[in-house]
Amino acid sequence: MNLLKFHTQPFTCRIPQTTCYNSSLFRHHLKLRFKFTPCSSSSLLTLSLHRPTFKFSGFSRINAAIYKYEEAGGGEAHPIVSAEFEDLAPNGVVYQKTLRLVECSMFAAVTGLLYFLSNSLSIENYFGCFFALPIVISSLRWGIAAGRKTMVATAMLLFVLSGPVKALIYLLTHGLTGLTLGSLWRLGADWRVSIVLCTIVRAMGAVGYVLTTSFLISENILALITINIHASLTLIFAATGINIVPSMNIIYAIFGTLVLLNCGFFVFLLHLLYSVFLTRLGMRGSLSLPNWLEKALG
């Protein structure tokens, strides 16, 4: 009488030919299964014992670059990269994102270093018109988001090099103005709209700079400015024989008008300088210049 029956399966090992394996990374699967079948007169228990089955799973697959050659009109063959490597082409997505990241990083590094050195050597007034230019170039080439990233990266670099005060002053006096100018030019706004909005942003930054300085030195600089304007106007009126004492509201209006005029002239000069500079760089197609400037540039 057969009490036990052994059923075996042959040893199987599959290795795909298209996959490269490392012998140290084999995974061993040992399967031992007991199978009970209904009892019969000749067999009481059936034991099914399977031999170990080793299944090797692929770790990596090596693909070679696939090139196809296409003959040009002059009989020369030019390689065409397969679809798997299209992102590495100059017009690919990965290449363009990498180029944008590198350009924004370099612009931020150059601007931060130039601003740091100009502050250290007290020559900021000579280079102040160039601090917003990298943000404008990044906005025109890669979009508004790239200009904003350049501004933030420059501010973070100045935060590390000079502290939070210098970083905040850069944002108020140059960063926000450059971002506004680059965004408006990227959107194709008219020069009149661009000058007005940039003047407002520049004026707000100037007032913020004065307030920040007042907080740092514990002195109200705005009050000192308005008091001096009031005293000067009173002396002028008294010297001319006009018996009028200007009110503080008039003083505030005069002060705001002077700030707007100062910022307006500065922004207009920035428009002229950046237009000429970007035109010489070959970016004239990205600019919407007025007709008189286009005729002057030829």
Side-chain angles (χ1 to χ4, degrees):
M1 177 186 296
N2 274 334
L3 297 180
L4 295 176
K5 288 184 179 181
F6 292 92
H7 298 279
T8 63
Q9 288 184 354
F11 176 80
T12 59
C13 177
R14 298 181 301 157
I15 302 179
Q17 297 179 357
T18 59
T19 309
C20 179
Y21 297 95
N22 190 348
S23 59
S24 62
L25 298 175
F26 287 165
R27 294 187 295 179
H28 304 279
H29 300 279
L30 177 61
K31 296 184 178 180
L32 179 62
R33 295 185 299 175
F34 293 90
K35 180 180 179 181
F36 294 91
T37 57
C39 297
S40 61
S41 60
S42 60
S43 63
L44 297 178
L45 176 64
T46 302
L47 177 61
S48 178
L49 178 61
H50 295 267
R51 290 184 180 179
T53 303
F54 297 94
K55 295 182 180 180
F56 305 108
S57 58
F59 178 72
S60 63
R61 183 167 183 171
I62 300 177
N63 290 329
I66 301 174
Y67 292 90
K68 297 180 180 179
Y69 290 88
E70 180 181 358
E71 292 186 358
E76 299 180 355
H78 299 280
I80 302 176
V81 187
S82 64
E84 298 179 1
F85 300 92
E86 287 181 356
D87 290 339
L88 300 179
N91 295 327
V93 178
V94 176
Y95 183 87
Q96 293 296 322
K97 289 183 177 180
T98 305
L99 184 60
R100 178 180 62 183
L101 178 62
V102 171
E103 285 191 8
C104 293
S105 302
M106 292 184 64
F107 283 143
V110 172
T111 307
L113 183 60
L114 182 62
Y115 188 82
F116 174 75
L117 293 177
S118 62
N119 276 275
S120 301
L121 301 176
S122 299
I123 55 175
E124 182 182 357
N125 294 329
Y126 298 97
F127 297 97
C129 56
F130 294 103
F131 293 142
L133 182 60
I135 302 176
V136 176
I137 296 177
S138 299
S139 300
L140 289 177
R141 281 182 54 82
W142 304 107
I144 301 175
R148 183 178 67 252
K149 292 177 182 178
T150 304
M151 181 188 68
V152 173
T154 306
M156 294 302 296
L157 181 61
L158 290 173
F159 181 84
V160 175
L161 294 176
S162 304
V165 177
K166 293 297 182 182
L168 180 60
I169 292 174
Y170 166 78
L171 287 176
L172 293 175
T173 55
H174 304 287
L176 295 177
T177 304
L179 180 62
T180 305
L181 179 59
S183 302
L184 292 174
W185 279 9
R186 175 73 179 186
L187 297 175
D190 188 67
W191 263 41
R192 289 171 292 185
V193 177
S194 177
I195 291 175
V196 171
L197 292 180
C198 290
T199 301
I200 295 174
V201 173
R202 173 78 179 182
M204 293 176 61
V207 174
Y209 169 71
V210 173
L211 294 177
T212 303
T213 308
S214 301
F215 174 77
L216 292 175
I217 65 176
S218 301
E219 188 69 39
N220 193 349
I221 299 178
L222 285 176
L224 294 175
I225 293 174
T226 53
I227 290 173
N228 289 329
I229 294 175
H230 186 273
S232 300
L233 287 177
T234 303
L235 290 176
I236 292 173
F237 289 158
T240 56
I242 301 175
N243 296 325
I244 297 177
V245 178
S247 62
M248 292 305 297
N249 293 329
I250 297 177
I251 300 301
Y252 293 146
I254 294 174
F255 173 73
T257 303
L258 292 177
V259 172
L260 289 176
L261 287 176
N262 189 335
C263 296
F265 282 114
F266 180 77
V267 169
F268 179 72
L269 291 177
L270 285 185
H271 277 66
L272 289 178
L273 179 62
Y274 290 174
S275 298
V276 175
F277 188 79
L278 295 177
T279 301
R280 294 296 180 264
L281 288 179
M283 300 178 61
R284 187 169 182 175
S286 303
L287 303 175
S288 56
L289 303 177
N291 295 328
W292 59 270
L293 186 58
E294 288 185 356
K295 293 179 180 179
L297 294 176

